Amino acid sequence: MLESRRFVIIGFFALVGVIYLLRLFYLQVLDESYSIESSSNSIKRVTEIPFRGQIYDRYGKLIVYNTPVYDLLVTPNRVRMDDTLRFCQVLGIERRDFDSLMAAASAYSRVKPSLFLRQLSKEDFASIQDIMVDYSGFEFAKSSLRTYTAPTLANTLGYVSEITKGQLEKQEEPYYRQGDYIGQSGIERIYENELRGKRGTKFVMQNVAGVYKGPWKSGELDTMAVAGENLYTGLDLEVQQYADSLMLNKVGSVVAIEPKTGQIISMVSAPTYDPNSLASRYFSKNFAALARNPYKPLFNRPVMASYRPGSTFKLIQALIGLQEGVITPGSGFTHANCPVGCHNHPATSTVALGVTHSCNPYFYNVFRRLIYKNNIKNTFKASAVGLDAWHDDIAKFGIGQRLGIDLPSEYKGNLPDKKYYDRFYGEYRWKFSNIYSLSIGEGELLITPLKMANVAAIIANRGYFYTPHVIHGVGDKKSVKPEFLERHETGVEAHNFEPVIEGMIGAVEAGTARRSKVEGITIAGKTGTSQNKRGDDHSIFIAFAPVEDPKIAIAVFVENAGAGGSAAAPIANLIIEKYLSRKVTNKALEERMMKLDLMSKVVLPTTKKPAETETKKKTEEVKKPTGDPNDPANRVPGTPHPANPAAMRGPVSLPKQRQ
Amino acid sequence: MAESKPITKNVDWMVVLIYIACLIIGWVNIYAAVYNPETQTSMFDLSNNAGKQLMWIGTAALLIICILVIDYKFYETFSFVIYAVVIFLLVVVLFAGSNINGSRSWIKLGAFSLQPAEFSKLAISLAISKYLSDPAISLNRKLKDYYPIMGIIALPAFLILLSNETGSMLVFASFAIVLYREGMPGFIPAIGIIGAALLIITLLFVKWYIAGAIVVIAGLVIWLMPVMTRRRGGLWATIIVALIMIGIVFGVDFFMNNVLQKHQRGRIMVLLDPDSDPRGIGWNVIQSKIAIGSGGMTGKGFLQGTQTKFDFVPEQSTDFIFCTVGEEHGFLGTAVVVFLFIALISRLVVLAERQRSRFARVYGYCVAGIIFFHFMVNIGMTIGLMPVIGIPLPFFSYGGSSLWSFSLLLFIFLKIDAQRPFTLSRG
């Protein structure tokens, strides 16, 4: 009878149930081996944060390391406080701070420790450790703090701070937890995965009172923390600090590259700040001050600021012209029939002389020949085809492209092509006469200081470059990222560089940059004067040296400093000399540059977008009191300016205060 | 007809109460499993699994109301349509499914994801019941009557296998229970059980000893059978059975190495000796046993569990939810859960037996069998009696699809059962 099978089925169900109950009874009640951690003991997971990797300069000098610090934790319900006043004195806090910190901790949990004071230095720790014994409910937790050997390179290195809520939610694999530290900018951000190391986990047993009862399962399941990997940069700390001192009280950038490898030797973003100020207990306060600073010290100018290249761009024009065969080294042009103006200079009968004297009509003509280098009769169509061909040649120099440096937020720049102008004028509605300002590096061209330093490196190498990069070795093996070992060709043959380099030598010896030449070192350089809508021209200089065996290629941008020869060229040449011979001969020039204060000339970008008239007014206002900026004699150093509080000049050193 | 009588009068309240009890215990334990003392979130917070589960429970309640409102004949009439829809979804998921944990078995609609494999159990149950409702079908006489059943099960099984969700497919073994009840000869499930037992024994002991034991037993049977039953015909049958068993014993290696995939082989090996791979597959089993074992008689108390926190036990709120019960509520808690399940399943069998239509009875057995199989495998794996197969504990584990499918499965039966007084018997 099939109905009777129900008993077999129910019997089977019951059998399984009984077996499971017996098994559970055995596991849970009879077998003691699983309940070593009896209900009174609990296992706590302790996370061990490893030290972040250290960062070294090209000679092995330490730039960034870690200092152990101590966080003070409080467990509110265990606090026994007889003398609150003395306690506050010891910690250097106000009574009301104490109250609010305690209130915050109690609000979080009365029985679990929460952060009371963050990052006490070793000295602070030593001085209060003994006294803290008198106050129960407080304990110290070791942690570490980024420390910088010199107050420099703030933007390049970046800073580390507590992970933000947004970052916490966005992370792809759940690695970070609330309160973890993460590299927020610069090298710290790009190399976060290498620097952070591997967190360790320890399982420890505690009794109900939270007292440590030894490792759980004798540490069998623990994982060791692994320190982060060290990073080796190509930076020269000494030259970097020297460059910092030259850029004091100026707004601008210095980028120096080793042409043969693409390693960054120095990278100044002025004004800057002391990186130690963002690696302290006062992070939020100091960060707010930096973020409010109208000169934007947190803006990493070498890779993020956009300028027009000005006359420095003529170098690329000349190279492309020679390569494309529209000119020969002996080509000459006069000022006749040219819409762009020029200054008085000897005749430019060769490419070298054109470069030396930075003759505008010369490069107007070169560009004209490049654009019309085709057989198309219609000038509109010819311009369109010519511009795209030109665009592709220039792009090989990294203009209008991201170079791929290992720093965040690299600005792409702008290199206009046919499509770009079609948007403004319509297809075949524009021709050479609309775009000729590109010939001398003005118009719609936008570059970054890094790109121009790279151009200098390309010329130094006679035709190729390696992607500029800060980190030239990761970890003990000092492995280099493969993309930094890849040689990029520009397509311009080596022999075409010689006339241009000859012109650059001329510019330093007898041309636009003659006032800053260095005895004993052959420097090839080119000045640039970048027009901008706000305020005076930006002073630009790119150079490399020594010409015979280039060891450094450099670009210096000084905002609102006027012509390239006035500020950028002297600064660049002083840095070159410092790097190559470790000393500087022209002490007078050095002193003049260090004292040069251009902060008052800088037109501050207002936080909100200003109305057109307002900007103009401001420009005039700034221009009025300064007179001729190029002549230091005319200047009273440190002229105060209404919009320029003296405290914000140069490296912003924020006083260590205690709240 | 008295069909206008409120459904509340006729629905089996015992099953409903067990169902509600399971949901509440499950939900509380999901909260305990995801509870993190450092970031305390509420049980109702939608950002954690407990909050979400509450949402699923709410939607399941709406679903149940729908089921109880729809006419009971709907399920029988449209059983093949429902089956076709689920097959269609299983095909869709192969192409449009999102990949979660290596199995392509979820359909994503915005923030909402659905696992069609979960609903295949319901579809097969309805289809088998419908097929068997034909009184001419006989399972103990005609082999050809099995073919449609094989087809009904094999089609979704194949599709699920393609989407790499082996766990859901194994659940189909539970249909053996209903087939047995409907007349399948008893030796078929017996072979299955003996085969599995032989597999395990072979892996534990030396093959020649087992073969010897089988020969001895066969000899005893041949010698004793005439004495006991006064029959002689069993001689050849016994010899053949013994030879097949010996064949299995020596075929195990081939089966393990060539038929099973690596992770499946690992799960069986770990079942026999968890310490063979303590950091890999054995981890789940060891950690789960520690968690349950550390609960003791009365448990560590609500939210006081330490093993089920800190990710010691993986999948704490889904497949390993039973660990949380074991750790925080001890043997008392686990015994209550086991009792609830056995009571539920037994009650379902009783309800199934009192049905007048074969469709309703078969369906009732399907529901009981499926819930039982999930219960047996899920709890069995947490206490080291079953290999690790990732299937949820009905009504307990976190997850919308599984909660919905089990609620549908159960309440369709309750609805049919509630209409029983008005149904004509068909055999």
Side-chain angles (χ1 to χ4, degrees):
Chain A
M1 288 311 287
L2 289 178
E3 273 94 75
S4 63
R5 284 192 171 181
R6 79 174 89 165
F7 301 114
V8 177
I9 293 170
I10 290 189
F12 180 58
F13 292 170
L15 178 69
V16 172
V18 169
I19 292 174
Y20 281 15
L21 282 177
L22 288 176
R23 171 73 170 176
L24 283 166
F25 189 74
Y26 170 74
L27 272 181
Q28 298 190 284
V29 183
L30 297 182
D31 189 348
E32 287 293 313
S33 67
Y34 291 117
S35 51
I36 346 152
E37 317 81 42
S38 62
S39 55
S40 65
N41 270 345
S42 67
I43 299 133
K44 200 182 163 201
R45 176 155 74 178
V46 183
T47 305
E48 293 207 316
I49 307 282
F51 273 128
R52 265 180 104 77
Q54 302 182 332
I55 303 178
Y56 294 90
D57 92 338
R58 68 189 294 124
Y59 306 113
K61 259 193 256 170
L62 205 53
I63 306 177
V64 188
Y65 61 100
N66 305 288
T67 321
V69 289
Y70 298 85
D71 290 340
L72 183 60
L73 306 173
V74 64
T75 311
N77 73 338
R78 293 188 9 232
V79 171
R80 302 276 173 279
M81 184 80 50
D82 302 322
D83 189 352
T84 315
L85 212 61
R86 173 162 163 255
F87 179 80
C88 291
Q89 272 174 1
V90 166
L91 291 177
I93 57 173
E94 297 280 329
R95 177 63 205 255
R96 60 190 157 86
D97 295 329
F98 173 84
D99 289 339
S100 66
L101 285 166
M102 279 304 270
S106 303
Y108 166 68
S109 168
R110 289 201 51 79
V111 293
K112 285 196 279 279
S114 54
L115 202 60
F116 189 76
L117 278 182
R118 179 184 278 288
Q119 295 163 343
L120 295 165
S121 71
K122 219 158 135 192
E123 292 74 30
D124 287 346
F125 173 68
S127 67
I128 60 176
Q129 193 187 12
D130 300 339
I131 308 152
M132 291 308 288
V133 182
D134 300 344
Y135 301 92
S136 62
F138 290 88
E139 56 185 314
F140 289 100
K142 229 171 151 183
S143 88
S144 75
L145 205 60
R146 282 309 236 185
T147 314
Y148 303 83
T149 50
T152 179
L153 285 164
N155 279 329
T156 308
L157 297 170
Y159 62 93
V160 174
S161 78
E162 225 171 88
I163 189 163
T164 65
K165 221 174 165 193
Q167 287 171 321
L168 208 54
E169 281 161 12
K170 255 197 275 168
Q171 55 179 327
E172 281 163 18
E173 36 161 342
Y175 179 83
Y176 299 95
R177 304 149 314 151
Q178 200 163 6
D180 277 350
Y181 279 76
I182 184 170
Q184 296 285 15
S185 70
I187 292 298
E188 298 275 15
R189 174 162 148 201
I190 295 289
Y191 292 92
E192 167 68 17
N193 289 355
E194 286 83 0
L195 285 169
R196 73 183 180 196
K198 228 175 120 192
R199 264 204 309 254
T201 313
K202 259 187 178 172
F203 296 100
V204 297
M205 291 201 288
Q206 291 183 327
N207 66 7
V208 207
V211 176
Y212 177 69
K213 287 279 183 184
W216 183 60
K217 290 207 156 196
S218 48
E220 197 184 300
L221 298 166
D222 297 358
T223 49
M224 290 288 285
V226 181
E229 290 185 288
N230 292 339
L231 298 181
Y232 299 89
T233 69
L235 294 162
D236 183 328
L237 202 54
E238 192 185 343
V239 170
Q240 173 71 29
Q241 285 187 276
Y242 182 69
D244 274 336
S245 64
L246 289 173
M247 290 300 284
L248 204 64
N249 293 329
K250 297 161 197 75
V251 174
S253 305
V254 173
V255 181
I257 301 176
E258 186 177 64
K260 285 195 187 76
T261 58
Q263 293 177 39
I264 304 269
I265 295 165
S266 167
M267 192 173 235
V268 181
S269 175
T272 182
Y273 61 92
D274 184 348
N276 286 307
S277 72
L278 288 189
S280 72
R281 307 163 47 183
Y282 310 107
F283 171 82
S284 43
K285 201 174 174 182
N286 292 349
F287 187 83
L290 288 171
R292 272 199 309 270
N293 188 323
Y295 293 103
K296 294 192 176 173
L298 289 169
F299 185 63
N300 193 13
R301 292 184 165 80
V303 296
M304 290 161 80
S306 66
Y307 303 96
R308 292 165 170 174
S311 303
T312 53
F313 193 69
K314 291 171 184 168
L315 298 171
I316 309 179
Q317 295 283 36
L319 290 168
I320 302 290
L322 288 165
Q323 180 65 30
E324 292 293 325
V326 299
I327 51 170
T328 63
S331 299
F333 296 100
T334 64
H335 288 180
N337 301 326
C338 180
V340 288
C342 202
H343 52 103
N344 227 350
H345 58 74
T348 49
S349 53
T350 61
V351 171
L353 285 170
V355 170
T356 297
H357 298 297
S358 194
C359 174
N360 288 344
Y362 193 99
F363 292 96
Y364 168 86
N365 283 308
V366 173
F367 187 49
R368 190 188 159 86
R369 287 191 183 180
L370 280 169
I371 292 299
Y372 286 139
K373 193 208 162 204
N374 47 46
N375 298 326
I376 301 165
K377 288 267 156 54
N378 181 323
T379 50
F380 291 101
K381 286 190 176 163
S383 298
V385 172
L387 183 71
D388 270 351
W390 175 83
H391 171 277
D392 293 347
D393 286 340
I394 304 284
K396 287 187 189 143
F397 283 77
I399 308 294
Q401 325 287 317
R402 273 187 198 93
L403 289 174
I405 189 177
D406 46 358
L407 286 175
S409 319
E410 187 192 350
Y411 176 62
K412 197 171 159 219
N414 188 35
L415 176 62
D417 57 2
K418 172 175 173 291
K419 265 193 216 140
Y420 183 87
Y421 286 114
D422 285 352
R423 271 210 302 275
F424 282 103
Y425 300 104
E427 199 174 17
Y428 305 131
R429 305 278 302 273
W430 54 272
K431 55 178 177 172
F432 175 72
S433 54
N434 300 96
I435 61 167
Y436 65 77
S437 53
L438 293 180
S439 64
I440 55 167
E442 300 292 344
E444 291 81 4
L445 270 175
L446 286 176
I447 47 84
T448 60
L450 175 73
K451 283 190 210 308
M452 292 321 287
N454 191 45
V455 168
I458 291 170
I459 300 172
N461 286 336
R462 276 85 168 164
Y464 66 90
F465 70 95
Y466 291 96
T467 303
H469 54 276
V470 181
I471 302 301
H472 199 70
V474 177
D476 295 335
K477 287 184 200 151
K478 300 198 179 181
S479 55
V480 187
K481 286 194 179 177
E483 61 262 37
F484 296 148
L485 295 173
E486 191 188 328
R487 183 169 147 155
H488 302 277
E489 300 291 342
T490 56
V492 179
E493 288 160 64
H495 66 86
N496 285 331
F497 281 87
E498 295 312 327
V500 174
I501 292 171
E502 190 189 317
M504 289 171 78
I505 298 168
V508 178
E509 294 291 323
T512 46
R514 60 189 173 275
R515 278 180 291 179
S516 58
K517 73 182 216 191
V518 179
E519 294 302 330
I521 301 173
T522 340
I523 299 174
K526 179 78 196 79
T527 55
T529 308
S530 165
Q531 297 172 358
N532 70 101
K533 286 186 189 128
R534 298 186 308 225
D536 290 359
D537 294 343
H538 299 321
S539 172
I540 305 180
F541 187 68
I542 73 169
F544 66 89
V547 171
E548 311 78 46
D549 178 24
K551 293 212 159 54
I552 179 170
I554 192 167
V556 177
F557 283 60
V558 186
E559 286 189 18
N560 308 101
S566 60
I571 289 173
N573 289 349
L574 287 167
I575 294 170
I576 288 174
E577 191 184 5
K578 179 78 178 176
Y579 180 68
L580 293 178
S581 49
R582 313 311 290 183
K583 60 177 171 38
V584 170
T585 45
N586 195 343
K587 288 287 177 195
L589 186 68
E590 175 183 71
E591 200 191 331
R592 209 174 64 196
M593 284 302 135
M594 282 185 180
K595 283 195 177 151
L596 179 62
D597 185 343
L598 294 167
M599 294 306 264
S600 57
K601 303 199 67 188
V602 173
V603 183
L604 292 172
T606 41
T607 41
K608 281 180 199 154
K609 258 203 165 159
E612 193 63 35
T613 47
E614 208 184 327
T615 319
K616 262 186 196 158
K617 221 165 73 191
K618 223 172 183 173
T619 314
E620 250 135 59
E621 195 184 302
V622 172
K623 273 184 176 172
K624 241 183 274 164
T626 43
D628 182 7
N630 299 337
D631 190 349
N634 266 358
R635 290 191 41 82
V636 183
T639 313
H641 185 270
N644 175 22
M648 289 308 177
R649 285 183 195 165
V652 183
S653 52
L654 292 151
K656 275 206 173 187
Q657 303 148 310
R658 290 210 158 144
Q659 347 192 354
Chain B
M1 297 279 273
E3 278 180 47
S4 56
K5 261 196 172 181
I7 184 91
T8 46
K9 280 257 166 112
N10 294 314
V11 80
D12 189 77
W13 280 105
M14 183 180 165
V15 172
V16 173
L17 287 177
I18 294 176
Y19 171 76
I20 293 172
C22 287
L23 286 190
I24 292 173
I25 299 174
W27 174 56
V28 166
N29 278 291
I30 289 171
Y31 178 66
V34 297
Y35 176 80
N36 182 347
E38 281 163 33
T39 58
Q40 300 168 1
T41 48
S42 141
M43 270 169 130
F44 305 95
D45 190 337
L46 280 183
S47 71
N48 69 40
N49 279 0
K52 284 184 202 153
Q53 182 75 356
L54 191 60
M55 193 184 77
W56 296 124
I57 292 173
T59 48
L62 292 176
L63 212 59
I64 289 166
I65 292 171
C66 293
I67 293 166
L68 296 182
V69 167
I70 294 172
D71 191 279
Y72 78 102
K73 280 180 279 198
F74 172 86
Y75 307 107
E76 183 168 1
T77 315
F78 288 96
S79 49
F80 284 128
V81 178
I82 294 170
Y83 181 78
V85 168
V86 170
I87 294 292
F88 173 72
L89 286 177
L90 283 173
V91 174
V92 167
V93 85
L94 282 180
F95 297 102
S98 350
N99 203 335
I100 297 178
N101 293 339
S103 67
R104 183 176 279 282
S105 57
W106 295 79
I107 293 178
K108 270 211 148 162
L109 299 165
F112 180 85
S113 47
L114 200 74
Q115 204 179 8
E118 282 292 335
F119 296 94
S120 60
K121 289 169 252 181
L122 171 67
I124 295 175
S125 300
L126 284 172
I128 289 182
S129 308
K130 175 75 181 172
Y131 171 72
L132 287 179
S133 68
D134 181 351
I137 306 277
S138 170
L139 292 180
N140 50 1
R141 282 195 300 273
K142 286 178 282 179
L143 186 62
K144 74 172 169 57
D145 284 353
Y146 280 92
Y147 298 152
I149 297 178
M150 297 297 172
I152 287 170
I153 297 176
L155 180 58
F158 176 68
L159 292 171
I160 289 170
L161 197 63
L162 284 184
S163 70
N164 219 353
E165 187 82 344
T166 336
S168 305
M169 199 194 72
L170 289 172
V171 176
F172 299 160
S174 64
F175 291 113
I177 293 169
V178 71
L179 295 180
Y180 172 69
R181 167 62 185 83
E182 293 304 316
M184 183 170 74
F187 70 86
I188 296 177
I191 286 176
I193 292 170
I194 291 173
L198 275 180
L199 173 70
I200 302 295
I201 292 170
T202 310
L203 293 171
L204 283 177
F205 302 103
V206 180
K207 290 189 193 71
W208 287 108
Y209 290 180
I210 303 164
I214 292 169
V215 169
V216 168
I217 292 170
L220 280 175
V221 168
I222 292 166
W223 180 52
L224 288 176
M225 199 134 70
V227 181
M228 308 279 284
T229 61
R230 304 189 180 282
R231 247 172 43 182
R232 287 189 163 271
L235 174 68
W236 287 109
T238 312
I239 291 174
I240 289 168
V241 168
L243 285 178
I244 290 173
M245 285 169 76
I246 292 171
I248 292 174
V249 169
F250 288 97
V252 160
D253 276 345
F254 177 81
F255 176 71
M256 289 291 282
N257 294 329
N258 300 62
V259 180
L260 292 182
Q261 288 180 9
K262 191 165 177 268
H263 68 278
Q264 292 164 334
R265 187 161 61 240
R267 284 172 182 179
I268 291 176
M269 294 313 290
V270 159
L271 176 67
L272 303 173
D273 178 17
D275 296 324
S276 65
D277 186 12
R279 286 311 199 132
I281 305 159
W283 173 259
N284 294 13
V285 178
I286 295 174
Q287 292 307 322
S288 143
K289 283 203 293 199
I290 291 177
I292 293 175
S294 68
M297 191 62 175
T298 53
K300 296 176 185 167
F302 181 50
L303 300 184
Q304 300 305 309
T306 50
Q307 301 302 301
T308 44
K309 313 272 180 298
F310 305 141
D311 307 322
F312 276 124
V313 180
E315 311 282 347
Q316 291 150 11
S317 59
T318 55
D319 295 346
F320 282 88
I321 187 69
F322 191 68
C323 298
T324 312
V325 182
E327 187 183 15
E328 298 196 346
H329 306 289
F331 179 68
L332 296 181
T334 54
V336 165
V337 172
V338 171
F339 270 121
L340 279 177
F341 271 105
I342 297 300
L344 176 69
I345 297 160
S346 308
R347 179 68 188 162
L348 286 173
V349 169
V350 169
L351 292 187
E353 284 295 342
R354 76 180 188 190
Q355 300 305 312
R356 293 181 190 175
S357 79
R358 197 180 182 191
F359 172 81
R361 183 180 70 224
V362 172
Y363 182 71
Y365 265 102
C366 284
V367 175
I370 290 168
I371 293 177
F372 169 73
F373 190 87
H374 274 265
F375 157 80
M376 181 177 74
V377 172
N378 182 288
I379 293 185
M381 80 180 174
T382 60
I383 55 180
L385 291 181
M386 282 275 163
V388 176
I389 297 168
I391 58 174
L393 187 59
F395 318 121
F396 278 79
S397 289
Y398 166 76
S401 289
S402 84
L403 179 59
W404 280 14
S405 77
F406 284 118
S407 301
L408 277 172
L409 203 63
L410 185 64
F411 277 85
I412 287 177
F413 180 59
L414 288 188
K415 167 74 182 179
I416 294 170
D417 174 61
Q419 301 293 341
R420 176 179 43 83
F422 323 109
T423 319
L424 290 174
S425 170
R426 274 198 284 172

